[in-house]
Coordinates of all heavy atoms in Angstrom, one line a residue:
T169 N -5.4 -11.7 36.6 CA -6.4 -11.7 35.6 C -7.4 -12.8 35.8 O -7.1 -13.9 36.1 CB -5.7 -12.0 34.2 OG1 -4.7 -11.0 34.0 CG2 -6.7 -12.0 33.1
W170 N -8.7 -12.4 35.7 CA -9.8 -13.3 35.9 C -10.1 -14.1 34.6 O -10.5 -15.2 34.6 CB -11.0 -12.7 36.3 CG -10.9 -11.9 37.6 CD1 -10.0 -12.2 38.6 CD2 -11.7 -10.9 38.1 NE1 -10.2 -11.3 39.7 CE2 -11.2 -10.5 39.4 CE3 -12.8 -10.2 37.5 CZ2 -11.8 -9.5 40.1 CZ3 -13.4 -9.2 38.3 CH2 -12.9 -8.8 39.6
A171 N -10.1 -13.3 33.5 CA -10.6 -13.8 32.1 C -11.9 -14.4 32.3 O -12.2 -15.6 32.1 CB -9.6 -14.9 31.6
P172 N -12.9 -13.6 32.7 CA -14.3 -14.0 32.9 C -14.9 -14.6 31.6 O -14.6 -14.1 30.5 CB -15.1 -12.8 33.4 CG -14.3 -11.6 32.9 CD -12.9 -12.1 32.9
A173 N -15.7 -15.7 31.8 CA -16.3 -16.3 30.6 C -17.8 -16.2 30.7 O -18.4 -15.6 29.8 CB -15.8 -17.7 30.6
G174 N -18.5 -16.8 31.7 CA -19.9 -16.8 31.8 C -20.4 -16.2 33.1 O -19.6 -16.1 34.0
A175 N -21.6 -15.8 33.2 CA -22.2 -15.2 34.4 C -23.6 -15.6 34.6 O -24.4 -15.7 33.6 CB -22.0 -13.7 34.3
V176 N -24.1 -15.7 35.8 CA -25.5 -16.0 36.2 C -25.8 -15.2 37.5 O -24.8 -14.8 38.3 CB -25.8 -17.5 36.4 CG1 -25.6 -18.3 35.2 CG2 -25.0 -18.1 37.6
F177 N -27.0 -14.9 37.7 CA -27.5 -14.2 38.9 C -28.2 -15.2 39.7 O -29.1 -15.9 39.3 CB -28.4 -13.0 38.6 CG -28.8 -12.3 39.8 CD1 -28.0 -11.3 40.4 CD2 -30.1 -12.4 40.3 CE1 -28.4 -10.6 41.5 CE2 -30.5 -11.7 41.4 CZ -29.6 -10.8 42.0
W178 N -27.9 -15.3 41.0 CA -28.5 -16.3 41.9 C -28.5 -15.7 43.4 O -27.4 -15.3 43.9 CB -27.9 -17.7 41.9 CG -28.6 -18.6 42.8 CD1 -29.7 -19.4 42.5 CD2 -28.2 -19.0 44.1 NE1 -30.1 -20.1 43.6 CE2 -29.2 -19.9 44.6 CE3 -27.2 -18.6 45.0 CZ2 -29.1 -20.5 45.9 CZ3 -27.2 -19.2 46.3 CH2 -28.1 -20.1 46.7
N179 N -29.6 -15.6 44.0 CA -29.7 -15.3 45.4 C -29.0 -14.0 45.8 O -28.2 -13.9 46.8 CB -29.2 -16.5 46.3 CG -29.6 -16.3 47.7 OD1 -30.7 -15.9 48.1 ND2 -28.7 -16.7 48.7
G180 N -29.1 -13.0 45.0 CA -28.5 -11.7 45.3 C -27.0 -11.5 44.9 O -26.4 -10.6 45.3
S181 N -26.5 -12.5 44.2 CA -25.1 -12.5 43.8 C -25.0 -12.8 42.3 O -25.8 -13.5 41.7 CB -24.3 -13.5 44.5 OG -24.2 -13.2 45.9
I182 N -23.9 -12.2 41.7 CA -23.6 -12.6 40.3 C -22.4 -13.5 40.5 O -21.4 -13.3 41.1 CB -23.2 -11.4 39.5 CG1 -24.4 -10.4 39.3 CG2 -22.6 -11.8 38.1 CD1 -24.0 -9.1 38.7
F183 N -22.6 -14.7 39.8 CA -21.5 -15.7 39.8 C -20.9 -15.7 38.4 O -21.7 -15.8 37.4 CB -22.0 -17.1 40.2 CG -22.5 -17.3 41.6 CD1 -23.8 -16.9 42.0 CD2 -21.6 -17.8 42.5 CE1 -24.2 -17.0 43.3 CE2 -22.0 -17.9 43.8 CZ -23.3 -17.5 44.2
F184 N -19.6 -15.7 38.3 CA -19.0 -15.8 37.0 C -17.7 -16.7 37.0 O -17.1 -16.8 38.1 CB -18.7 -14.4 36.4 CG -17.7 -13.5 37.1 CD1 -16.4 -13.5 36.8 CD2 -18.2 -12.8 38.2 CE1 -15.5 -12.7 37.5 CE2 -17.3 -11.9 38.9 CZ -15.9 -11.9 38.6
T185 N -17.4 -17.3 35.9 CA -16.3 -18.2 35.9 C -15.1 -17.5 35.4 O -15.2 -16.4 34.7 CB -16.6 -19.3 34.9 OG1 -17.0 -18.8 33.6 CG2 -17.8 -20.2 35.4
G186 N -13.9 -18.1 35.7 CA -12.7 -17.5 35.3 C -11.8 -18.5 34.6 O -11.5 -19.6 35.2
L187 N -11.4 -18.3 33.4 CA -10.5 -19.2 32.6 C -9.1 -19.2 33.3 O -8.7 -20.2 33.8 CB -10.4 -18.8 31.2 CG -11.7 -19.1 30.3 CD1 -11.6 -18.3 29.0 CD2 -11.7 -20.6 30.1
R188 N -8.6 -18.0 33.3 CA -7.2 -17.9 33.9 C -7.2 -18.0 35.4 O -6.3 -18.6 36.0 CB -6.6 -16.5 33.4 CG -5.1 -16.5 33.8 CD -4.5 -15.4 33.1 NE -3.1 -15.4 33.5 CZ -2.1 -14.8 32.8 NH1 -2.4 -14.3 31.7 NH2 -0.9 -14.8 33.3
G189 N -8.2 -17.4 36.0 CA -8.3 -17.5 37.5 C -8.7 -18.9 38.1 O -8.6 -19.1 39.2
E190 N -9.2 -19.7 37.2 CA -9.6 -21.1 37.5 C -10.5 -21.1 38.8 O -10.3 -21.9 39.7 CB -8.4 -22.0 37.7 CG -7.5 -22.2 36.5 CD -6.4 -23.2 36.7 OE1 -6.2 -23.7 37.8 OE2 -5.8 -23.4 35.7
S191 N -11.5 -20.2 38.8 CA -12.4 -20.1 39.9 C -13.8 -19.8 39.5 O -14.0 -19.3 38.3 CB -12.0 -19.0 40.9 OG -10.7 -19.2 41.4
I192 N -14.8 -20.0 40.4 CA -16.1 -19.4 40.2 C -16.0 -18.2 41.2 O -15.7 -18.3 42.4 CB -17.2 -20.3 40.7 CG1 -17.3 -21.5 39.8 CG2 -18.6 -19.6 40.7 CD1 -18.3 -22.6 40.2
Y193 N -16.3 -17.0 40.6 CA -16.2 -15.8 41.4 C -17.7 -15.4 41.7 O -18.6 -15.5 40.9 CB -15.6 -14.6 40.6 CG -14.1 -14.9 40.4 CD1 -13.7 -15.4 39.1 CD2 -13.2 -14.7 41.3 CE1 -12.4 -15.7 38.9 CE2 -11.8 -14.9 41.0 CZ -11.5 -15.4 39.8 OH -10.1 -15.7 39.6
E194 N -17.9 -14.9 43.0 CA -19.2 -14.4 43.4 C -19.0 -12.9 43.8 O -18.2 -12.5 44.6 CB -19.6 -15.2 44.6 CG -20.9 -14.8 45.2 CD -21.3 -15.5 46.5 OE1 -20.5 -16.4 46.9 OE2 -22.4 -15.2 47.0
T195 N -19.9 -12.1 43.1 CA -20.0 -10.7 43.4 C -21.3 -10.5 44.1 O -22.4 -10.7 43.5 CB -19.9 -9.9 42.2 OG1 -18.7 -10.2 41.5 CG2 -20.0 -8.4 42.5
K196 N -21.2 -10.2 45.4 CA -22.5 -9.9 46.2 C -23.0 -8.5 45.9 O -22.2 -7.6 45.8 CB -22.2 -10.1 47.7 CG -21.8 -11.5 48.0 CD -21.4 -11.6 49.5 CE -20.8 -12.9 49.9 NZ -21.8 -13.9 50.1
I197 N -24.3 -8.4 45.7 CA -25.0 -7.2 45.3 C -25.9 -6.8 46.5 O -26.7 -7.5 46.9 CB -25.8 -7.3 44.1 CG1 -25.0 -7.9 42.9 CG2 -26.4 -5.9 43.7 CD1 -23.8 -7.1 42.5
A198 N -25.6 -5.6 47.1 CA -26.4 -5.1 48.2 C -27.8 -4.6 47.7 O -28.0 -4.4 46.5 CB -25.7 -4.0 48.9
A199 N -28.7 -4.4 48.6 CA -30.1 -4.0 48.3 C -30.0 -2.7 47.5 O -30.9 -2.4 46.7 CB -30.9 -3.8 49.6
N200 N -29.0 -1.8 47.8 CA -28.9 -0.5 47.1 C -28.2 -0.6 45.7 O -28.0 0.3 45.0 CB -28.2 0.5 47.9 CG -26.8 0.1 48.2 OD1 -26.2 -0.9 47.8 ND2 -26.1 0.9 49.1
G201 N -27.9 -1.9 45.3 CA -27.3 -2.1 44.0 C -25.8 -2.1 44.0 O -25.2 -2.3 43.0
K202 N -25.2 -1.8 45.1 CA -23.7 -1.7 45.2 C -23.1 -3.0 45.4 O -23.6 -3.9 46.1 CB -23.3 -0.7 46.3 CG -23.8 0.7 46.0 CD -23.0 1.7 46.7 CE -23.6 3.0 46.4 NZ -22.7 4.0 45.9
I203 N -21.9 -3.2 44.8 CA -21.2 -4.4 45.0 C -20.5 -4.4 46.4 O -19.9 -3.4 46.8 CB -20.0 -4.6 44.0 CG1 -20.7 -4.7 42.6 CG2 -19.1 -5.7 44.3 CD1 -19.7 -4.7 41.5
T204 N -20.8 -5.5 47.2 CA -20.3 -5.5 48.6 C -19.1 -6.4 48.8 O -18.5 -6.3 49.8 CB -21.5 -5.9 49.5 OG1 -21.9 -7.2 49.2 CG2 -22.6 -4.9 49.5
A205 N -18.9 -7.4 47.9 CA -17.8 -8.3 48.1 C -17.5 -9.1 46.8 O -18.3 -9.2 46.0 CB -18.1 -9.3 49.2
L206 N -16.3 -9.6 46.7 CA -15.9 -10.5 45.7 C -15.2 -11.7 46.3 O -14.2 -11.5 47.0 CB -15.0 -9.8 44.7 CG -14.5 -10.7 43.5 CD1 -15.6 -11.2 42.7 CD2 -13.4 -10.0 42.7
V207 N -15.8 -12.8 46.1 CA -15.2 -14.0 46.7 C -14.9 -15.1 45.6 O -15.7 -15.1 44.6 CB -16.3 -14.6 47.7 CG1 -15.8 -15.9 48.3 CG2 -16.7 -13.6 48.7
S208 N -13.9 -15.9 45.7 CA -13.6 -16.9 44.8 C -14.0 -18.3 45.4 O -13.7 -18.5 46.6 CB -12.2 -16.9 44.2 OG -11.3 -17.2 45.2
H209 N -14.5 -19.2 44.6 CA -14.9 -20.5 45.1 C -14.2 -21.5 44.2 O -14.0 -21.3 43.0 CB -16.4 -20.7 45.0 CG -17.2 -19.7 45.7 ND1 -17.4 -19.8 47.1 CD2 -17.9 -18.6 45.3 CE1 -18.1 -18.8 47.5 NE2 -18.4 -18.1 46.4
F210 N -13.8 -22.7 44.7 CA -13.2 -23.8 44.0 C -12.0 -23.4 43.3 O -11.6 -24.0 42.2 CB -14.2 -24.4 43.0 CG -15.5 -24.9 43.7 CD1 -16.7 -24.2 43.5 CD2 -15.5 -26.0 44.5 CE1 -17.9 -24.6 44.0 CE2 -16.7 -26.4 45.1 CZ -17.9 -25.7 44.9
R211 N -11.2 -22.5 43.7 CA -10.0 -22.0 43.1 C -9.1 -23.2 42.7 O -8.6 -23.9 43.6 CB -9.3 -21.0 43.9 CG -8.1 -20.4 43.2 CD -7.6 -19.2 43.9 NE -6.8 -18.2 43.2 CZ -7.2 -17.4 42.2 NH1 -8.5 -17.4 42.0 NH2 -6.4 -16.6 41.6
G212 N -8.8 -23.4 41.5 CA -7.9 -24.5 41.0 C -8.4 -25.9 41.1 O -7.7 -26.8 40.7
A213 N -9.6 -26.1 41.6 CA -10.1 -27.4 41.8 C -10.4 -28.1 40.5 O -10.3 -29.4 40.4 CB -11.4 -27.4 42.7
F214 N -10.8 -27.4 39.5 CA -11.3 -28.0 38.2 C -10.5 -27.5 37.0 O -10.7 -27.9 35.9 CB -12.8 -27.7 38.0 CG -13.7 -28.2 39.1 CD1 -14.3 -27.3 39.9 CD2 -13.8 -29.5 39.4 CE1 -15.1 -27.7 40.9 CE2 -14.6 -29.9 40.4 CZ -15.3 -29.0 41.2
G215 N -9.6 -26.6 37.2 CA -8.8 -26.0 36.1 C -9.6 -24.8 35.5 O -10.3 -24.1 36.3
R216 N -9.4 -24.5 34.2 CA -10.0 -23.4 33.6 C -11.5 -23.6 33.5 O -12.0 -24.6 32.9 CB -9.4 -23.2 32.2 CG -7.9 -22.8 32.3 CD -7.2 -23.0 31.0 NE -7.9 -22.6 29.8 CZ -7.8 -21.4 29.3 NH1 -7.1 -20.5 29.8 NH2 -8.5 -21.1 28.1
L217 N -12.3 -22.6 34.0 CA -13.7 -22.7 33.9 C -14.3 -21.8 32.9 O -13.9 -20.6 32.8 CB -14.3 -22.4 35.3 CG -13.8 -23.3 36.4 CD1 -14.5 -22.8 37.8 CD2 -14.2 -24.7 36.1
R218 N -15.1 -22.3 32.0 CA -15.6 -21.5 30.9 C -17.0 -21.0 31.1 O -17.3 -19.8 31.3 CB -15.5 -22.2 29.5 CG -15.9 -21.3 28.4 CD -15.4 -21.9 27.1 NE -14.0 -22.1 26.9 CZ -13.2 -21.1 26.5 NH1 -13.6 -19.9 26.2 NH2 -11.9 -21.4 26.3
A219 N -18.0 -21.8 30.9 CA -19.4 -21.4 31.0 C -20.0 -21.7 32.3 O -19.6 -22.7 33.0 CB -20.2 -22.1 29.8
I220 N -21.0 -21.0 32.7 CA -21.8 -21.2 33.9 C -23.3 -20.9 33.6 O -23.6 -19.9 33.0 CB -21.3 -20.4 35.1 CG1 -22.1 -20.8 36.4 CG2 -21.4 -19.0 34.9 CD1 -21.5 -20.3 37.7
Q221 N -24.2 -21.8 33.9 CA -25.6 -21.6 33.7 C -26.4 -22.2 34.9 O -25.9 -23.1 35.6 CB -26.0 -22.4 32.4 CG -25.5 -21.8 31.2 CD -26.1 -20.5 30.8 OE1 -27.4 -20.3 31.0 NE2 -25.4 -19.5 30.4
I222 N -27.6 -21.8 35.0 CA -28.5 -22.3 36.0 C -29.4 -23.2 35.2 O -30.1 -22.8 34.2 CB -29.3 -21.3 36.8 CG1 -28.4 -20.4 37.6 CG2 -30.3 -21.9 37.7 CD1 -29.0 -19.2 38.3
G223 N -29.5 -24.5 35.6 CA -30.3 -25.4 34.9 C -31.8 -25.4 35.3 O -32.1 -24.7 36.4
P224 N -32.7 -26.0 34.6 CA -34.1 -26.0 35.0 C -34.3 -26.7 36.4 O -35.4 -26.5 37.0 CB -34.8 -26.8 33.9 CG -33.7 -27.5 33.2 CD -32.5 -26.8 33.4
D225 N -33.3 -27.5 36.8 CA -33.4 -28.1 38.2 C -32.9 -27.2 39.3 O -32.9 -27.6 40.4 CB -32.7 -29.4 38.1 CG -31.2 -29.3 37.8 OD1 -30.7 -28.1 37.5 OD2 -30.5 -30.3 37.7
G226 N -32.4 -26.0 38.9 CA -31.9 -25.0 39.9 C -30.5 -25.2 40.3 O -29.9 -24.5 41.1
F227 N -29.8 -26.2 39.7 CA -28.4 -26.4 40.0 C -27.6 -25.5 39.0 O -28.0 -25.2 37.9 CB -28.0 -27.9 39.8 CG -28.4 -28.7 40.9 CD1 -29.7 -29.1 41.1 CD2 -27.5 -29.1 41.9 CE1 -30.1 -29.9 42.2 CE2 -27.8 -29.9 43.0 CZ -29.1 -30.3 43.1
L228 N -26.3 -25.2 39.4 CA -25.4 -24.5 38.5 C -24.6 -25.6 37.7 O -24.2 -26.6 38.2 CB -24.4 -23.7 39.3 CG -24.9 -22.6 40.1 CD1 -23.8 -21.9 40.9 CD2 -25.6 -21.5 39.2
Y229 N -24.4 -25.3 36.4 CA -23.6 -26.2 35.5 C -22.5 -25.3 35.0 O -22.7 -24.2 34.5 CB -24.5 -26.7 34.4 CG -25.5 -27.7 34.9 CD1 -26.7 -27.3 35.4 CD2 -25.2 -29.1 34.9 CE1 -27.7 -28.2 35.9 CE2 -26.2 -30.0 35.4 CZ -27.4 -29.5 35.9 OH -28.3 -30.4 36.3
V230 N -21.3 -25.9 35.2 CA -20.0 -25.2 34.8 C -19.2 -26.1 33.9 O -19.1 -27.3 34.2 CB -19.2 -24.8 36.1 CG1 -17.9 -24.1 35.7 CG2 -20.0 -24.0 37.0
S231 N -18.7 -25.6 32.8 CA -17.9 -26.4 31.9 C -16.4 -26.0 32.1 O -16.1 -24.8 32.4 CB -18.3 -26.2 30.5 OG -18.1 -24.9 30.0
T232 N -15.5 -27.0 31.9 CA -14.1 -26.7 32.0 C -13.6 -26.5 30.6 O -14.2 -27.0 29.6 CB -13.4 -27.9 32.7 OG1 -13.5 -29.1 31.9 CG2 -13.9 -28.1 34.1
S233 N -12.4 -26.0 30.5 CA -11.7 -25.7 29.2 C -10.2 -25.9 29.4 O -9.5 -25.0 29.3 CB -12.0 -24.3 28.7 OG -11.5 -24.1 27.4
N234 N -9.8 -27.1 29.6 CA -8.4 -27.4 29.9 C -7.7 -28.1 28.7 O -6.5 -28.1 28.6 CB -8.3 -28.4 31.1 CG -8.8 -27.7 32.3 OD1 -8.4 -26.6 32.6 ND2 -9.7 -28.4 33.1
T235 N -8.5 -28.6 27.7 CA -7.8 -29.3 26.6 C -7.7 -28.4 25.4 O -7.5 -28.9 24.3 CB -8.6 -30.6 26.2 OG1 -9.9 -30.2 25.9 CG2 -8.6 -31.5 27.4
D236 N -7.7 -27.1 25.5 CA -7.6 -26.2 24.4 C -6.1 -25.7 24.2 O -5.9 -24.8 23.4 CB -8.5 -24.9 24.6 CG -8.1 -24.1 25.8 OD1 -7.2 -24.5 26.6 OD2 -8.7 -23.0 26.0
G237 N -5.2 -26.4 24.9 CA -3.8 -26.0 24.7 C -3.3 -25.0 25.7 O -2.1 -24.6 25.7
R238 N -4.2 -24.4 26.5 CA -3.8 -23.4 27.5 C -3.9 -23.9 28.9 O -3.2 -23.3 29.8 CB -4.7 -22.2 27.3 CG -4.5 -21.5 26.0 CD -5.4 -20.3 25.9 NE -5.3 -19.8 24.6 CZ -5.8 -18.6 24.2 NH1 -6.5 -17.9 25.1 NH2 -5.7 -18.2 23.0
G239 N -4.6 -24.9 29.2 CA -4.8 -25.3 30.6 C -4.0 -26.6 30.8 O -3.4 -27.2 29.9
E240 N -4.0 -27.0 32.1 CA -3.3 -28.2 32.5 C -4.3 -29.4 32.3 O -5.3 -29.4 33.0 CB -2.8 -28.2 33.9 CG -2.2 -29.4 34.4 CD -1.8 -29.3 35.9 OE1 -1.4 -28.2 36.3 OE2 -1.8 -30.3 36.6
I241 N -4.0 -30.3 31.4 CA -5.0 -31.4 31.1 C -5.0 -32.3 32.3 O -4.0 -32.7 32.8 CB -4.6 -32.1 29.8 CG1 -4.6 -31.1 28.6 CG2 -5.5 -33.3 29.5 CD1 -4.0 -31.7 27.3
R242 N -6.3 -32.6 32.7 CA -6.5 -33.5 33.8 C -7.2 -34.7 33.3 O -7.9 -34.7 32.3 CB -7.3 -32.8 34.9 CG -6.6 -31.6 35.4 CD -7.5 -30.6 36.1 NE -6.7 -29.4 36.4 CZ -6.8 -28.8 37.5 NH1 -7.6 -29.2 38.5 NH2 -6.1 -27.7 37.7
D243 N -7.2 -35.8 34.1 CA -7.9 -37.0 33.7 C -9.3 -36.7 33.4 O -10.0 -36.1 34.2 CB -7.7 -38.0 34.9 CG -8.2 -39.4 34.5 OD1 -8.1 -39.8 33.3 OD2 -8.8 -40.1 35.4
R244 N -9.8 -37.2 32.3 CA -11.2 -37.1 31.9 C -11.7 -35.7 31.6 O -12.9 -35.4 31.8 CB -12.1 -37.8 32.9 CG -11.8 -39.3 33.0 CD -12.5 -40.1 34.1 NE -13.8 -39.5 34.5 CZ -14.3 -39.6 35.7 NH1 -13.6 -40.2 36.6 NH2 -15.5 -39.1 36.0
D245 N -10.8 -34.8 31.2 CA -11.2 -33.4 30.8 C -11.8 -33.5 29.4 O -11.4 -34.4 28.7 CB -10.0 -32.5 30.8 CG -9.9 -31.7 32.2 OD1 -10.9 -31.7 32.9 OD2 -8.9 -31.1 32.4
D246 N -12.4 -32.6 28.9 CA -13.2 -31.5 29.6 C -14.5 -32.1 30.0 O -15.0 -33.1 29.5 CB -13.4 -30.4 28.7 CG -12.2 -29.5 28.6 OD1 -11.5 -29.3 29.7 OD2 -11.9 -28.9 27.6
K247 N -15.2 -31.4 31.0 CA -16.4 -31.9 31.6 C -17.3 -30.8 32.0 O -17.0 -29.6 32.0 CB -16.1 -32.8 32.8 CG -15.3 -32.1 33.9 CD -15.0 -33.1 35.0 CE -13.5 -33.0 35.3 NZ -13.0 -34.2 36.0
I248 N -18.5 -31.2 32.3 CA -19.5 -30.3 32.9 C -19.7 -30.7 34.3 O -19.9 -31.9 34.6 CB -20.8 -30.4 32.1 CG1 -20.6 -29.9 30.7 CG2 -21.9 -29.5 32.8 CD1 -21.8 -30.0 29.7
I249 N -19.6 -29.7 35.2 CA -19.7 -29.9 36.6 C -21.1 -29.4 37.1 O -21.4 -28.3 36.9 CB -18.6 -29.2 37.4 CG1 -17.2 -29.8 36.8 CG2 -18.6 -29.4 38.9 CD1 -16.1 -28.8 36.9
K250 N -21.8 -30.3 37.9 CA -23.1 -29.9 38.5 C -22.8 -29.5 39.9 O -22.2 -30.2 40.7 CB -24.0 -31.1 38.4 CG -25.4 -30.8 39.0 CD -26.3 -32.0 38.8 CE -27.7 -31.8 39.4 NZ -28.5 -33.0 39.2
I251 N -23.3 -28.3 40.3 CA -23.0 -27.7 41.7 C -24.4 -27.3 42.2 O -25.1 -26.5 41.6 CB -22.1 -26.5 41.6 CG1 -20.7 -26.9 41.0 CG2 -21.9 -25.9 43.0 CD1 -19.8 -25.8 40.7
N252 N -24.7 -27.7 43.4 CA -25.8 -27.3 44.2 C -25.5 -25.9 44.7 O -24.6 -25.7 45.5 CB -26.1 -28.2 45.3 CG -27.4 -27.9 46.1 OD1 -27.9 -26.7 46.0 ND2 -27.9 -28.8 46.8
P253 N -26.3 -24.9 44.2 CA -25.9 -23.5 44.6 C -26.1 -23.2 46.1 O -25.6 -22.2 46.6 CB -26.9 -22.6 43.8 CG -28.0 -23.5 43.5 CD -27.4 -24.9 43.4
E254 N -26.8 -24.1 46.8 CA -26.9 -24.0 48.3 C -25.5 -24.0 49.0 O -25.5 -23.5 50.1 CB -27.8 -25.1 48.8 CG -29.2 -25.0 48.4 CD -30.0 -23.8 48.9 OE1 -29.7 -23.3 50.0 OE2 -30.8 -23.2 48.1
V255 N -24.5 -24.5 48.3 CA -23.2 -24.5 49.0 C -22.7 -23.0 49.1 O -21.8 -22.8 49.9 CB -22.1 -25.3 48.2 CG1 -22.5 -26.8 48.1 CG2 -21.8 -24.8 46.9
F256 N -23.3 -22.1 48.4 CA -22.9 -20.7 48.4 C -23.7 -19.9 49.4 O -23.4 -18.7 49.7 CB -23.0 -20.1 47.1 CG -22.2 -20.8 46.0 CD1 -22.8 -21.4 44.9 CD2 -20.8 -20.8 46.1 CE1 -22.1 -22.0 43.9 CE2 -20.1 -21.4 45.1 CZ -20.7 -22.0 44.0
R257 N -24.8 -20.4 49.9 CA -25.7 -19.7 50.8 C -25.1 -19.5 52.1 O -24.5 -20.4 52.7 CB -27.0 -20.4 50.9 CG -28.1 -19.6 51.7 CD -29.4 -20.4 51.8 NE -30.0 -20.7 50.6 CZ -30.8 -19.9 49.9 NH1 -31.0 -18.7 50.4 NH2 -31.4 -20.2 48.8
E258 N -25.2 -18.3 52.7 CA -24.7 -18.0 54.0 C -25.8 -18.2 55.0 O -27.0 -17.8 54.7 CB -24.2 -16.6 54.1 CG -22.9 -16.4 53.2 CD -22.5 -15.0 53.3 OE1 -23.0 -14.1 54.0 OE2 -21.5 -14.7 52.6
D259 N -25.6 -18.7 56.1 CA -26.6 -18.9 57.1 C -26.7 -17.7 58.0 O -25.9 -16.9 58.2 CB -26.3 -20.1 58.1 CG -26.4 -21.4 57.3 OD1 -27.2 -21.5 56.4 OD2 -25.6 -22.3 57.6

């Protein structure tokens, strides 16, 4: 189960977060509009991921949701994580 929460479009892909899957998922969209791949990023690194947005600075912002009684509470939870989307770019 992914339990998707938020989604954004960046560089030809849809990125969405997963509460239960504890990942950022990337769905690549081909030029013809078909889905070509599904990849997970940062699986388990931050716990349950809720919202994802692109900020005015072009970075992705992701919030965690571990202190709602369903996730594993980690030191200094919950937080907003800033991610440079260039880490997802393929060369």
Side-chain angles (χ1 to χ4, degrees):
T169 300
W170 300 337
V176 296
F177 183 79
W178 182 82
N179 195 37
S181 292
I182 296 173
F183 291 85
F184 61 97
T185 54
L187 286 163
R188 187 167 181 156
E190 298 186 356
S191 299
I192 296 175
Y193 296 98
E194 177 183 3
T195 302
K196 297 176 187 275
I197 310 295
N200 63 4
K202 297 204 182 236
I203 295 172
T204 60
L206 177 64
V207 180
S208 68
H209 303 281
F210 302 109
R211 185 170 199 74
F214 305 112
R216 294 162 43 90
L217 302 178
R218 184 166 297 277
I220 185 168
Q221 290 293 318
I222 298 176
D225 58 0
F227 283 78
L228 294 177
Y229 290 86
V230 180
S231 65
T232 65
S233 186
N234 296 311
T235 60
D236 64 355
R238 295 183 185 186
E240 180 180 324
I241 299 174
R242 297 160 190 224
D243 189 34
R244 297 174 26 212
D245 263 345
D246 280 325
K247 60 183 126 199
I248 296 175
I249 302 153
K250 181 179 179 181
I251 300 171
N252 184 340
E254 293 296 325
V255 301
F256 303 115
R257 189 181 296 276
E258 294 178 2
D259 293 327

